Amino acid sequence: MREINVQLITEKVRALSMDANTDLGEDVLQAFDRAMEKEQSPLGIEILKELKENARIAREEKVAICQDTGFAVIFLEVGQDVHLVGGDLKEAVFEGVRQGYRDGYLRKSICHPFTRVNTGDNTPAIVHIDIVPGDKVKITVAPKGGGSENMSRVVMLTPSDGVEGIKRFVVQRIKESGSNPCPPTIVGIGIGGTLEEAALLAKKSLLRPLGSRNPDPELDRLEAEILDEVNRLGIGPQGLGGRTTSLAVHILMMPCHIASLPLAVNIQCHVQRHKEAVI
Ligand code: SF4
């Protein structure tokens, strides 16, 4: 049994919170480049260039990529041979978020749902914990912007809706979202499981590197078909017209109940932030 002090988790979450908010991944920058090659709208190309320039400035000057520094969503994969010592795990994560958002001068965006009074330190964070084989802890910090999260949906389709029903719902969702999720977006889709599991699958699908293929050939095809339809909508970068409405569609799927077909669409804006560390 390997002992890990939760203090170390606080330190990692602090650093990852700042890193995720200021350093956009290479996969996203490369996706901007690919989109520029295909984009036909001059304004769309200009916006994609601006997004790249914005990411460069954020990385070099260590400032937030976007003013919306998001809800801190943390995925923890905890090895079953790890003994966590030194305090409460979730509190250690919250403390890392607190310190990261304070020291990185990141906007605090979390408030009471009724009074709208800000909690003041960007906590609580959303913490998803999976127990996995091994003696390591993997931490992924994925700040989620409010604009794109607001456009996300979970729906319980009927089995007879099938694949065509899934495609219809997703494309309609992107159409209705228009410029609100700050396109170009990444469309995370969770299919199957239960209501809450579909939502989690959709969110986890966003962690896959942009430009990578779905290992399931059927889902890989479906991703390409949906992306093609979405990019025919003409919404374009920042909603000002063009082909680049979404950079990618990612799908995760699992079996579901014979009576249902859960579907979740988690839309991610172009600020596709997530950083990870393994202890
Ligand atoms: S949706 Fe994304 S790009 Fe738009 S304001 Fe929020 S974090 Fe920024």
Side-chain angles (χ1 to χ4, degrees):
M1 188 66 81
R2 177 173 169 232
E3 280 198 355
I4 295 179
N5 195 301
V6 294
Q7 171 70 34
L8 195 51
I9 291 177
T10 296
E11 288 166 19
K12 291 289 180 197
V13 170
R14 173 187 177 277
L16 292 170
S17 296
M18 292 194 282
D19 206 17
N21 270 298
T22 55
D23 185 15
L24 202 58
E26 275 307 315
D27 59 331
V28 187
L29 299 176
Q30 285 168 12
F32 289 158
D33 287 339
R34 286 195 299 275
M36 270 185 253
E37 282 168 20
K38 288 189 193 159
E39 184 53 73
Q40 290 174 343
S41 150
L43 183 55
I45 294 171
E46 203 46 47
I47 291 167
L48 289 164
K49 277 188 196 158
E50 292 292 331
L51 296 181
K52 246 190 113 175
E53 176 65 359
N54 179 63
R56 182 192 66 75
I57 294 168
R59 180 184 284 179
E60 287 179 12
E61 299 188 10
K62 299 257 175 283
V63 294
I65 305 159
C66 180
Q67 43 76 32
D68 180 356
T69 50
F71 212 133
V73 179
I74 320 287
F75 294 94
L76 290 180
E77 288 180 21
V78 181
Q80 62 194 27
D81 297 324
V82 171
H83 181 205
L84 293 165
V85 298
D88 180 280
L89 173 61
K90 271 198 178 173
E91 186 40 50
V93 171
F94 288 4
E95 184 55 25
V97 169
R98 236 172 247 129
Q99 292 181 13
Y101 275 70
R102 180 196 64 206
D103 299 345
Y105 301 99
L106 304 172
R107 193 185 79 185
K108 287 72 179 177
S109 307
I110 310 306
C111 70
H112 187 286
F114 296 165
T115 64
R116 313 307 294 181
V117 173
N118 200 299
T119 63
D121 59 8
N122 222 56
T123 70
I126 304 295
V127 187
H128 300 291
I129 304 173
D130 281 329
I131 305 296
V132 298
D135 65 354
K136 299 195 169 25
V137 175
K138 182 175 171 188
I139 308 166
T140 305
V141 175
K144 188 67 173 71
S148 55
E149 195 74 350
N150 284 347
M151 294 298 110
S152 303
R153 295 288 186 274
V154 181
V155 61
M156 302 302 278
L157 297 179
T158 62
S160 62
D161 285 318
V163 177
E164 285 309 310
I166 290 171
K167 282 166 73 173
R168 246 193 331 272
F169 185 87
V170 175
V171 174
Q172 186 62 19
R173 182 83 296 270
I174 302 301
K175 189 175 177 183
E176 286 171 8
S177 298
S179 63
N180 291 313
C182 302
T185 56
I186 297 99
V187 186
I189 300 175
I191 303 171
T194 52
L195 179 124
E196 82 281 10
E197 193 63 30
L200 195 50
L201 287 173
K203 182 139 279 149
K204 281 185 176 174
S205 79
L206 295 171
L207 301 178
R208 203 177 99 206
L210 284 183
S212 64
R213 306 288 296 262
N214 194 310
D216 179 327
E218 189 183 14
L219 297 182
D220 191 56
R221 253 195 325 275
L222 186 56
E223 288 180 358
E225 286 171 19
I226 294 176
L227 182 63
D228 187 52
E229 280 196 43
V230 161
N231 282 338
R232 284 172 196 270
L233 292 172
I235 296 168
Q238 295 299 291
L240 294 172
R243 296 174 66 139
T244 321
T245 300
S246 293
L247 297 169
V249 172
H250 288 179
I251 304 176
L252 278 176
M253 184 167 80
M254 69 176 294
C256 60
H257 191 281
I258 52 171
S260 54
L261 178 52
L263 169 66
V265 185
N266 197 194
I267 304 178
Q268 168 65 51
C269 63
H270 64 273
V271 187
Q272 162 67 321
R273 302 163 278 204
H274 51 87
K275 294 287 178 190
E276 60 185 50
V278 177
I279 302 174

